[in-house]
Amino acid sequence: MTTSQLDVDRAAALLREAADVTILSHVRPDADTLGSALALGRVLHRRGATVRVSYSGGTALPDSLRSLDPDDLYVPEDRLPAAEPLLVTVDAASAGRLGALAGRVAATREAGGEVLVIDHHASNPGFGTLNVIDAQAEATVVLVLQVLDALGESLDAVTASCLYAGLVTDTAMFRLAKPGTHRMAVRLLEAGVDPAVLTREVVDERPFAALAMLGTALSAARFEPDAAQGLGLVHTAVTADLAATVRYEEVEGVIDVVRTVGEAGVAIVLKEVPGSSSEWTVSLRSAGRLDVSAVAVSLGGGGHKLAAGCTLTGSAGQVLEQLRTALETAPLL
């Protein structure tokens, strides 16, 4: 799905009149979803709107992203109002990605409110009353900047930093960036982003305990050279007990190390859901020759051709078997 300038202009018109807005990020938020939410929220707050940024499953922003919210726009999910006239979701490929807050989409629509969806996942069905969805955009922050431009709003250093955080992470440190995305980065740097400080906070820094967690997870990794249609599969699992020793963003980052295995065309990390002995969130990464989004979609998830995810139930072995089977019929790129 590719958005049009008309969609962007309509979104800007909707936001221009907004006086009360709730902006939702997806569960286990990363820098793209929260960077998008906080950049948009900061500009709307500056325009005089009451703004709340939230996500399901947390009580605070991730440590690595707290510097992006000097206006204290984040509100825990249990402090959200019963309803809002305008609900915005950012970087959520489906309503289900909002977790326990998913019901607010239908509730807002049924109450006659507007739901604006801003996203860059090809699997997004367009669940809003207005959708700005473009799978060609490398990150949702790219689309948020288009909306801000349509609003006629300037960028300050903090807003630009929110956008840069999503850009640098979702492009794998600009390895997947197109020329236009590099031009966007120049705009953000000119607006006052300090790339050295920001990337250190968002990407590089981690607590000492993360080293032990990562060591345990990597020692359990296995390589299957004949799997994934002969492209090779590397995988590991992070149990709930192991995940409990660190912040969730450290667990989410395990896939970024596992996917560096040169012999593997596909990398998978299973992450056990806390409080469950049989539910796992799955991160899939492709080295470029197999569409892992097709695998995720076939198992109830979604994502991009090179990076996708889903949630599966069963033992770690049973979940891996489901993934191996799906990989054997996935489209090659």
Side-chain angles (χ1 to χ4, degrees), residues 51-65:
V51 177
R52 295 166 295 272
V53 171
S54 192
Y55 69 94
S56 177
T59 58
L61 291 176
D63 291 345
S64 59
L65 301 174

Side-chain angles (χ1 to χ4, degrees), residues 120-311:
H120 72 131
H121 293 92
S123 57
N124 195 309
F127 57 91
T129 57
L130 178 59
N131 301 285
V132 176
I133 302 171
D134 191 346
Q136 300 306 309
E138 296 99 316
T140 297
V141 292
V142 173
L143 301 175
V144 169
L145 180 56
Q146 291 178 21
V147 173
L148 296 182
D149 284 343
L151 273 169
E153 292 290 339
S154 60
L155 295 175
D156 59 28
V158 175
T159 305
S161 294
C162 292
L163 297 171
Y164 192 88
L167 199 64
V168 74
T169 53
D170 258 37
T171 61
M173 300 291 284
F174 294 103
R175 288 191 291 269
L176 304 177
K178 301 172 186 176
T181 311
H182 284 283
R183 287 191 287 271
M184 174 179 168
V186 170
R187 280 189 63 188
L188 301 179
L189 294 174
E190 290 175 342
V193 173
D194 186 329
V197 171
L198 185 62
T199 54
R200 185 171 66 247
E201 289 179 350
V202 174
V203 179
D204 295 335
E205 289 184 350
R206 63 194 66 191
F208 181 72
L211 299 183
M213 180 279 297
L214 183 60
T216 300
L218 295 182
S219 68
R222 297 293 180 267
F223 174 57
E224 302 178 17
D226 297 325
Q229 302 179 52
L231 296 175
L233 168 66
V234 60
H235 59 83
T236 192
V238 180
T239 65
D241 287 345
L242 183 58
T245 64
V246 294
R247 308 173 303 183
Y248 81 83
E249 53 257 52
E250 269 71 60
V251 177
E252 293 297 311
V254 173
I255 188 65
D256 293 323
V257 180
V258 175
R259 69 175 178 80
T260 62
V261 173
E263 302 96 323
V266 176
I268 293 175
V269 173
L270 309 183
K271 296 156 291 183
E272 189 176 19
V273 175
S276 170
S277 59
S278 61
E279 187 175 9
W280 304 80
T281 59
V282 181
S283 294
L284 300 107
R285 298 292 185 271
S286 170
R289 295 181 58 192
L290 185 146
D291 182 357
V292 291
S293 70
V295 174
V297 169
S298 73
L299 296 171
H304 310 286
K305 291 181 178 181
L306 303 184
C310 58
T311 300

Side-chain angles (χ1 to χ4, degrees), residues 80-102:
L80 291 174
E84 51 272 305
L86 174 57
L87 182 70
V88 182
T89 73
V90 286
D91 200 42
S94 66
R97 284 286 283 151
L98 302 174
L101 296 175

Side-chain angles (χ1 to χ4, degrees), residues 10-27:
R10 286 173 174 167
L14 182 64
L15 295 170
R16 189 173 290 114
E17 303 302 321
D20 188 289
V21 187
T22 295
I23 307 175
L24 298 182
S25 294
H26 60 65
V27 294

